[in-house]
Amino acid sequence: MQKIYIAGVGQTPVRENWEKSLKELAGDAALLALEDANLGYPEGIFVGNMMSGSANHQLQLGALLADWLGMHHREGFGLESACSSGAAAFRAALMAIASGELSSALVVGVEKMTDSPLAEITSSLATAADADLEGDFGVSFVALNALIMQRYMYEYGWKTSDFAAFSINAHANAVFNPNARFRKAISLSDYEHTGMVCEPINLLDASPVSDGAAALYLTAAPPTKDRRISVAASSAATDTISLQNRTNSLRLSAAEKSARIAYQQAGITPREIGLFEYHDAFSIMAALSLEAAGFCDPGQAPRLANDGSIALNGRIPVATMGGLKARGHPVGATGLYQLVEVALQLRGEAGQTQVEAARWGMAQNIGGSGSNIITHILHQG
Amino acid sequence: MQKIYIAGVGQTPVRENWEKSLKELAGDAALLALEDANLGYPEGIFVGNMMSGSANHQLQLGALLADWLGMHHREGFGLESACSSGAAAFRAALMAIASGELSSALVVGVEKMTDSPLAEITSSLATAADADLEGDFGVSFVALNALIMQRYMYEYGWKTSDFAAFSINAHANAVFNPNARFRKAISLSDYEHTGMVCEPINLLDASPVSDGAAALYLTAAPPTKDRRISVAASSAATDTISLQNRTNSLRLSAAEKSARIAYQQAGITPREIGLFEYHDAFSIMAALSLEAAGFCDPGQAPRLANDGSIALNGRIPVATMGGLKARGHPVGATGLYQLVEVALQLRGEAGQTQVEAARWGMAQNIGGSGSNIITHILHQG
């Protein structure tokens, strides 16, 4: 694929946001990205969202935002792949530009989850599972992740407290991110004394239902030199949608495939990755992601979390602005928050959580319990 | 954009289908297209759907179908632009192939509407309007179309019975389509004596809520000569999402733009178009589509319908297999039914409604009340 650049980024604070409609929230992030890029209107808009039809009685987000932003008559579509909808929109926009149909595009991810009762949102999230095999039987996503975590602990001998480090790291970084949902450090004791959601997943293993929007401005023309962040790799892969059909529920084989292809496209190995925005919707997904992306052997990720490797000055910094856990997880927007954060890091604009001398950054967005995984690598230059 | 071919097509009968789940219904159309193409699995899958999240408790359709079809680990996404979601998925797949990321793709459109109470479906359809300005105030799509039709009659002096010819033509053609929902001819008297839905739109002006799925197999490599149907043009444009913000509610300006660009891309004029699968969700949309695509002046479409121009042997045959009106309108699938029908016509496989000597065929899919319009022109050769 031809070289495509990120010329602008925008994000709204992740929180309960009852003052804005879905359109206004997405529009805010889009306007920030347009302002940041300062290149005028792009030729199209791609919107990542999962559940606005049920949660906000609003679909048709491509035309809706094109209209709201004043991008008269320009094309726009919505992309959906559950919690990886944001990265799906990003990848669709990349392909649109690489095809020559568009020379620039705005990618917006939005999810507004806190307007609805939590039971409805839990039910909407379950539409990412197979309705015939999982969803209609009442299996929620926290339950699916609890099954995986239980099996992981059994197979590799880890205790629940060994997973605390993922969450402690995310919260430590979120303190410095003005857009994070929970800007509050937590301790091992906090983790050990919080409530249980679905054994063994406790409250501090789980990312929060949130409202938020993030946006990126993509262009085929190289921006000015200090903004020259390019997309070095884009790769997507699927796996069985239901957990029960998977040969090995402890391996994210779609993540392994998409990461492997992404490294090939970028011409690098995991060693060159300066930071990794992983999809820590639950601590167990953080662990499996690190393993699937080649940062450690299967079953070894809690060691990386506990020996400091994932800290800002460690071997592979993760969740540098709070991750899904503490920045928050507005599902359709998450993949674009990740990419905005990688871009800001590569631009050297990550503030107090700036990773030193990172030239390559990776973001990996997961839909379902590992069934749709999209990996992007960004490059400074 | 490089030349891309349609190597296979598939469709399920449009009807109330309570025996199959959404996945099975979509899978049936996909398997027919795979069999028709006989080229093995493609590299990715793009799924057009509007309301499966609310109507079927099932999202994540890309991964779901990749899994169900046995396309292990291949990428898949869902595309949404309300009633033009099918054509949006088709366009996204074209751009993916033209970008070089994929060499082949399956495009599937599916909607399963009859499992839910009609009031819920009416509400889900209204998510294609602007929730802040229209949807949340209870405006349904039939009401929006009734406003347009009322204005059209006032402005140009047509009577309701002048619109009957659109519906009579669609039903006449549907008789010969084994996949059509209503294989029954209707008369002017039937039209004049049917029930009113929302004045001036009566039951025979409105397309039926339906279940259905259609699929196409796209490939960059030319298929064998008798199957050489290529995509000559693909163009999308948006308009204001709410009717009240439109300067002129009787002009589909997004349709005008996307048709104009499509003709340019194909290097032809409306005169070369051998058949036009238009988006006759309501008779008034049939009229506005003919005008926007350049087949007559604004306000003149009912004349075309009444003087035989839109019949199979007329100047511009439309709805050759029944159209949305009589074949049925499973919204996310409709854009792909249209493209399947154009492809079958160009292959000379349209049976008793075969249009003679058509070398170019156009399909135009409309999302919302004209807010997201996607035009494709297919070519024999």
Side-chain angles (χ1 to χ4, degrees), chain B residues 91-117:
Chain B
R91 179 159 165 77
L94 290 175
M95 295 195 289
I97 295 174
S99 76
E101 284 290 288
L102 303 176
S103 64
S104 58
L106 195 59
V107 192
V108 185
V110 63
E111 207 77 59
K112 199 158 191 306
M113 307 169 82
T114 75
D115 291 355
S116 310

Side-chain angles (χ1 to χ4, degrees), chain A residues 47 52 58-66 76-78, chain B residues 50 80-85 127-130 141 238 241 366-373:
Chain A
V47 185
S52 70
Q58 182 68 71
L59 284 170
Q60 178 83 300
L61 303 188
L64 183 81
L65 285 174
F77 307 109
Chain B
M50 178 182 177
E80 194 277 321
S81 62
C83 298
S84 64
S85 298
T127 61
D130 188 318
F141 263 87
T238 59
I241 195 156
I366 303 184
S369 47
S371 52
N372 204 337
I373 297 186

Side-chain angles (χ1 to χ4, degrees), chain B residues 285-363:
Chain B
M285 277 295 134
L288 297 187
S289 296
L290 279 168
E291 296 166 9
F295 294 108
C296 62
D297 286 336
Q300 296 309 305
R303 198 174 42 73
L304 247 59
N306 285 283
D307 72 6
S309 295
I310 65 169
L312 290 176
N313 59 357
R315 181 158 67 85
I316 180 65
V318 300
T320 60
M321 297 187 190
L324 282 62
K325 174 63 201 78
R327 178 239 297 131
H329 183 25
V331 295
T334 287
L336 298 184
Y337 274 102
Q338 293 177 310
L339 285 159
V340 166
E341 289 161 0
V342 175
L344 289 174
Q345 285 279 3
L346 297 181
R347 274 160 52 165
E349 299 174 13
Q352 289 181 266
T353 59
Q354 181 66 46
V355 172
E356 289 304 318
R359 294 193 59 232
W360 305 87
M362 183 158 78

Side-chain angles (χ1 to χ4, degrees), chain A residues 48-72:
Chain A
N49 173 267
M50 177 181 177
M51 58 178 73
S52 70
S54 55
N56 316 102
H57 306 140
Q58 182 68 71
L59 284 170
Q60 178 83 300
L61 303 188
L64 183 81
L65 285 174
D67 182 19
W68 180 250
L69 293 167
M71 292 170 57
H72 298 305

Side-chain angles (χ1 to χ4, degrees), chain A residues 319-342:
Chain A
T320 61
M321 296 186 190
L324 281 62
K325 174 64 200 81
R327 178 240 297 129
H329 183 25
V331 296
T334 288
L336 298 184
Y337 274 102
Q338 294 177 311
L339 286 160
V340 166
E341 289 162 0
V342 174

Side-chain angles (χ1 to χ4, degrees), chain B residues 114-175:
Chain B
T114 75
D115 291 355
S116 310
L118 195 58
E120 272 181 32
I121 291 298
T122 302
S123 169
S124 288
L125 284 166
T127 61
D130 188 318
D132 299 347
L133 300 175
E134 294 175 332
D136 285 357
F137 297 93
V139 183
S140 69
F141 263 87
V142 61
L144 288 166
N145 279 274
L147 289 169
I148 303 174
M149 184 167 165
Q150 194 77 269
R151 183 76 199 174
Y152 187 92
M153 290 162 63
Y154 170 83
E155 205 69 54
Y156 297 115
W158 298 103
K159 306 183 302 297
T160 48
S161 58
D162 295 323
F163 291 84
F166 293 109
S167 195
I168 291 168
N169 175 69
H171 278 264
N173 293 340
V175 169

Side-chain angles (χ1 to χ4, degrees), chain A residues 1-2 21-24 46 50-54 56-64 66-68 71-84 87-88 91-92 94-102 123-124 126-133 135-136 234-242 245 253-254 257 265 367-369 371-372 374, chain B residues 1-2 21-24 46 50-54 56-64 66-68 71-84 87-88 91-92 94-102 123-124 126-133 135-136 234-242 245 253-254 257 265 367-369 371-372 374:
Chain A
M1 194 152 58
Q2 71 169 96
S21 72
L22 180 89
K23 178 177 72 184
E24 293 165 333
F46 296 78
M50 177 181 177
M51 58 178 73
S52 70
S54 55
N56 316 102
H57 306 140
Q58 182 68 71
L59 284 170
Q60 178 83 300
L61 303 188
L64 183 81
D67 182 19
W68 180 250
M71 292 170 57
H72 298 305
H73 287 148
R74 306 195 188 197
E75 70 182 291
F77 307 109
L79 271 290
E80 194 276 322
S81 61
C83 298
S84 63
R91 179 159 167 76
L94 291 176
M95 295 195 291
I97 295 174
S99 76
E101 284 290 291
L102 304 176
S123 169
S124 288
T127 62
D130 187 320
D132 299 347
L133 299 176
D136 284 357
S234 172
S235 169
T238 58
D239 198 354
T240 70
I241 197 156
S242 75
N245 284 340
S253 61
K257 181 185 173 189
Q265 286 177 352
S369 47
S371 52
N372 204 337
I374 309 170
Chain B
M1 194 152 59
Q2 70 170 96
S21 73
L22 180 89
K23 177 177 72 182
E24 294 165 335
F46 296 78
M50 178 182 177
M51 57 177 73
S52 68
S54 55
N56 315 102
H57 307 139
Q58 182 69 70
L59 285 171
Q60 179 81 302
L61 303 189
L64 183 79
D67 182 18
W68 179 250
M71 292 171 57
H72 298 306
H73 288 147
R74 305 194 189 197
E75 71 181 290
F77 307 110
L79 271 291
E80 194 277 321
S81 62
C83 298
S84 64
R91 179 159 165 77
L94 290 175
M95 295 195 289
I97 295 174
S99 76
E101 284 290 288
L102 303 176
S123 169
S124 288
T127 61
D130 188 318
D132 299 347
L133 300 175
D136 285 357
S234 172
S235 169
T238 59
D239 198 354
T240 70
I241 195 156
S242 76
N245 285 340
S253 62
K257 181 184 174 190
Q265 287 177 352
S369 47
S371 52
N372 204 337
I374 309 170

Side-chain angles (χ1 to χ4, degrees), chain A residues 271-275 312-315 317 342 344-351 353-361 378-380:
Chain A
R271 262 188 301 277
E272 277 80 54
I273 299 293
L275 71 146
L312 289 176
N313 60 357
R315 182 156 67 83
V342 174
L344 289 173
Q345 285 279 3
L346 297 181
R347 272 158 54 164
E349 297 173 15
T353 59
Q354 181 66 47
V355 171
E356 289 304 320
R359 295 194 59 233
W360 305 87
L378 305 187
H379 182 227
Q380 186 195 48

